[in-house]
Amino acid sequence: MPVQSAVTRTYGAQVGPSYVTTTEAAKLVGLSKRTLQRYHRDGVLEPEYVTAGGHARWDPDKIIEQLKARRRRSE
C-alpha cells in the first residue's frame, strides 16, 4: 500500500516521498506503535531514515518486506 505523504525537515527539505512516522507506519501495517518501536530498538526492523532528533521515518512497503523476509528465515 504505497503512501503518498512526504516528510519535510527544517527549511522544507524533503526527506522522502513515502516516509511516514512510526505511528502512521504502525497503523498501515497492522502493528502497534510500541511493537514497531521495540522491533526498531531490538534491530528486528530498520527504518528508512532517523531524524537528527532520533525520530524514525518508515516506508510501510519495506516494513512488510522485512517482516516477510524474517518469517521466511524462521521457517
Side-chain angles (χ1 to χ4, degrees):
M1 161 184 333
V3 179
Q4 298 301 320
S5 66
V7 176
T8 57
R9 288 191 276 174
T10 306
Y11 309 115
Q14 201 170 49
V15 174
S18 63
Y19 297 167
V20 295
T21 65
T22 300
T23 300
E24 293 168 325
K27 286 178 185 177
L28 289 169
V29 300
L31 297 173
S32 73
K33 175 183 172 182
R34 289 293 299 144
T35 298
L36 191 52
Q37 289 171 332
R38 186 175 61 248
Y39 283 176
H40 176 216
R41 182 193 68 215
D42 295 344
V44 174
L45 296 174
E46 290 297 322
E48 292 301 307
Y49 181 81
V50 178
T51 67
H55 300 278
R57 297 296 182 250
W58 303 87
D59 179 341
D61 295 328
K62 290 193 178 178
I63 293 172
I64 293 168
E65 288 175 20
Q66 290 180 50
L67 289 171
K68 285 180 181 178
R70 183 171 172 78
R71 179 179 285 161
R72 284 191 297 269
R73 284 192 302 262
S74 68
E75 292 178 349

